[in-house]
Amino acid sequence: MPLLDAAKGIACAVIVGHHLSRYGPMPAGAYGLAPDFFGWLADDGRLAVQVFLVIAGFLAAASLAPDGLLRVDRPIARILQRYGRLVMPYLAALTVCVLVAALVRPWLDEDVVPASPSIGQLFAHGFLLQDLLGYESLSTGVWYVAIDFQLFALALMLVGLPAMLSPPAPGVVNPSSRWMPVLLVLALAVTSLVLFNRNAALDDTALYFFGAYGLGMLVFWIGRATRASTWQGAVALLVLVGAGALAIEWRSRIATALVTALLIALAQHRHWLSPAKWPLAAVPLQRLGRMSYSLFLIHFPVLLAMNALVANLAPHGPWVDLLGMVATFGLSVAAAALLYRWVEARPASWRAVFALFAALLVSGIAVSY
């Protein structure tokens, strides 16, 4: 689906820009050159995460239950497989970040540089439990990886719950059983939008974010409608759910998720997700979207290294800071291409997971002593 890849590429570029405009001395120096642009990135760039949440939900529904029924024979094995796919590039990027942070710490007197990690902190990150256990993050944005894993596991359990409670007879498919998983996802998404997402104490859990993720799942199933009236009614229901949640309390993140979901619904209905003709100008965005996860993971250590380098240049001014930020983005894309080729694109295996986990532990222990 090249259109979704392009959307991920744009969203990831905005998120990287958001971090570039907030962390280190470079954005402070370059801010005066384009205050409105940098102010928007610093304040609202984070909203691009909602695009990823909606697309992740869309793809989860397509993978787990394209017709509403769970198509996974071994749910636990599928969850473990998801963990392996997520943590291979994640562990590699964290190892790089731990080493780079130790290298720049004497040269960059900024709160953004993570402190030397403890052994408990390293294990918590490896098992995606750092926020739930109250540990400081070793890199920016790693909370999303933990939330993505939680959301996938929660979606799988919701979709599989009806069959688990009332197993169908072999070879018999009850038409109404296809609606139960959809209704469960809808119910939890509505509950998240009107209740859980308004409680900041839950922002370390999937419940807080399931509203956006659930919208993506629902959009995929809406696109399977064969009648125009069914599609129109389902989209209208989606609009009412989103508008009702925003009427209860306005949240720009939910508005972004709703608009993203509606745009994907329209694109899916018009068969734009896999266009027959794809403009050459959009190919770089599609490629960026394919490696967006690697870019999301690896850009922070590049940001730390470049801020340390530019901060210790003498003399320097706003234009040098701006060029440093542009160079940081370019180097981050190059690093992401390497991470994608060497780690993310490779088949997941427990041997690789254990090796990368060990590399993180050894690196963390080494820089702490």
Side-chain angles (χ1 to χ4, degrees):
M1 300 181 186
L3 190 62
L4 291 187
D5 284 334
K8 290 194 295 182
I10 295 172
C12 192
V14 172
I15 291 170
V16 173
H18 171 66
H19 293 154
L20 279 172
S21 64
R22 288 177 60 89
Y23 300 136
M26 285 194 300
Y31 183 84
L33 298 175
D36 292 338
F37 177 67
F38 287 125
W40 173 79
L41 274 179
D43 295 335
D44 298 324
R46 58 187 172 81
L47 296 177
V49 171
Q50 302 301 317
V51 176
F52 277 100
L53 289 170
V54 174
I55 292 177
F58 182 93
L59 296 176
S63 172
L64 296 175
D67 296 317
L69 294 176
L70 183 64
R71 289 190 178 181
V72 176
D73 295 330
R74 298 182 297 165
I76 300 300
R78 186 59 180 274
I79 290 174
L80 291 175
Q81 181 188 43
R82 179 64 176 175
Y83 170 81
R85 292 296 303 161
L86 281 175
V87 301
M88 281 179 54
Y90 164 84
L91 292 171
L94 277 185
T95 301
V96 174
C97 193
V98 165
L99 295 174
V100 170
L103 182 65
V104 307
R105 201 170 289 121
W107 311 100
L108 190 60
D109 186 18
E110 295 280 336
D111 292 338
V112 68
V113 182
S116 297
S118 66
I119 188 68
Q121 189 178 13
L122 294 168
F123 272 105
H125 276 76
F127 291 117
L128 304 178
L129 297 173
Q130 66 276 3
D131 295 316
L132 292 175
L133 297 179
Y135 284 104
E136 181 183 354
S137 292
L138 294 176
S139 179
T140 188
V142 295
W143 64 269
Y144 179 85
V145 184
I147 291 298
D148 183 277
F149 180 64
Q150 290 182 38
L151 286 167
F152 182 85
L154 180 57
L156 191 152
M157 287 188 291
L158 279 176
V159 174
L161 185 62
M164 183 177 65
L165 296 178
S166 179
V172 177
V173 177
N174 185 353
S176 63
S177 64
R178 298 181 183 274
W179 289 99
M180 288 305 300
V182 177
L183 292 176
L184 286 174
V185 169
L186 175 62
L188 185 56
V190 171
T191 305
S192 175
L193 290 171
V194 303
L195 183 62
F196 300 142
N197 188 257
R198 297 168 58 214
N199 184 354
L202 296 175
D203 65 358
D204 294 333
T205 71
L207 295 176
Y208 184 87
F209 296 95
F210 194 81
Y213 195 85
L215 287 177
M217 296 183 71
L218 294 169
V219 161
F220 177 82
W221 288 322
I222 287 172
R224 306 281 287 185
T226 55
R227 296 181 180 179
S229 59
T230 303
W231 183 87
Q232 293 168 359
V235 169
L237 177 62
L238 207 66
V239 172
L240 288 175
V241 167
L246 293 174
I248 294 172
E249 181 181 345
W250 172 263
R251 288 149 289 168
S252 54
R253 59 185 180 273
I254 298 304
T256 303
L258 178 61
V259 170
T260 301
L262 292 175
L263 288 175
I264 292 177
L266 178 62
Q268 185 185 29
H269 187 63
R270 297 292 183 89
H271 306 289
W272 292 342
L273 295 183
S274 299
K277 294 183 179 180
W278 188 244
L280 290 177
V283 172
L285 283 177
Q286 182 185 358
R287 292 176 178 172
L288 186 64
R290 288 179 180 174
M291 64 181 188
S292 59
Y293 182 51
S294 289
L295 177 58
F296 181 78
L297 293 171
I298 201 65
H299 76 276
F300 186 66
V302 179
L303 181 154
L304 291 178
M306 286 299 295
N307 268 286
L309 177 63
V310 173
N312 288 277
L313 288 176
H316 73 281
W319 284 104
V320 173
D321 289 325
L322 179 61
L323 288 175
M325 294 175 70
V326 173
T328 300
F329 186 88
L331 290 172
S332 296
V333 172
L338 295 177
L339 181 62
Y340 178 80
R341 171 184 280 187
W342 292 348
V343 182
E344 185 183 355
R346 293 181 178 272
S349 70
W350 286 113
R351 177 179 295 181
V353 171
F354 291 144
L356 291 167
F357 206 139
L360 175 62
L361 294 176
V362 170
S363 301
I365 293 171
V367 302
S368 299
Y369 294 98

